[in-house]
Amino acid sequence: DAGVIQSPRHEVTEMGQEVTLRCKPISGHDYLFWYRQTMMRGLELLIYFNNNVPIDDSGMPEDRFSAKMPNASFSTLKIQPSEPRDSAVYFCASSLDAVGVADQPQHFGDGTRLSIL
Amino acid sequence: DQQVKQNSPSLSVQEGRISILNCDYTNSMFDYFLWYKKYPAEGPTFLISISSIKDKNEDGRFTVFLNKSAKHLSLHIVPSQPGDSAVYFCAASGNSGYSTLTFGKGTMLLVSP
């Protein structure tokens, strides 16, 4: 079975450019999560969706960040304009149900390593 | 403030011995805990979980212990194998439909032959 698929795997771009990260969750999973990993802050949740609806975006650092889920099989995380401090690994994860309710763990993609020069 | 803490950034163990990874949490509303393993250039993969109604959960070589009064959990790997070398993340969640996980910063485990 295909897991969570993220693209691109690596992205290098110059400051000020728009960056779009893509995610395809596991089929049938109702929850989708975007995380950012940095050395300083570890893995932090940016936003999550339930049935394509954004539920909690309190982790989104600034208005430069936006996320969409137009359908059950696709989500994007966009940064516009990008800044060097946005450099990090961005992970997408999906789960069948809410954590702790149905004992369903989150399944992660392999991440996008983003470098903003 | 970190609600989930993994105070040991790294741990080295010999093959065949026990590896013990520790995790502390501060939020008393957490009642579901997970461990994830992460290899370089890959995403975290789920390893084992425990809910607050238990104090132990076992899956093969992996056992997680939960001490609610101390707000502490640990992951035991017995026997350790070189393929277990990875970064291990502890994560916690609240109850009743909470969908979000709070992660620790991880412990890098190195198992030498």
Side-chain angles (χ1 to χ4, degrees), chain B residues 3-95:
Chain B
Q3 297 188 65
V4 177
K5 298 179 183 179
Q6 295 177 256
N7 291 319
S8 298
S10 63
L11 176 68
S12 291
V13 171
Q14 278 196 313
E15 182 178 8
R17 302 279 193 142
I18 184 172
S19 295
I20 300 176
L21 297 102
N22 294 304
C23 178
D24 297 295
Y25 61 97
T26 56
N27 189 337
S28 58
M29 297 299 290
F30 288 150
D31 70 348
Y32 183 64
F33 305 89
L34 305 87
W35 286 93
Y36 279 81
K37 180 168 77 172
K38 184 184 181 303
Y39 293 118
E42 294 184 9
T45 55
F46 170 70
L47 192 57
I48 192 169
S49 64
I50 188 168
S51 72
S52 59
I53 61 172
K54 295 183 177 180
D55 56 14
K56 175 182 173 181
N57 189 26
E58 198 169 348
D59 184 2
R61 297 186 295 114
F62 302 90
T63 303
V64 56
F65 296 91
L66 176 63
N67 182 334
K68 282 192 68 178
S69 60
K71 294 191 177 69
H72 177 84
L73 62 156
S74 61
L75 175 68
H76 294 211
I77 307 173
V78 183
S80 302
Q81 298 174 354
D84 296 329
S85 298
V87 177
Y88 289 79
F89 291 96
C90 170
S93 174
N95 58 8

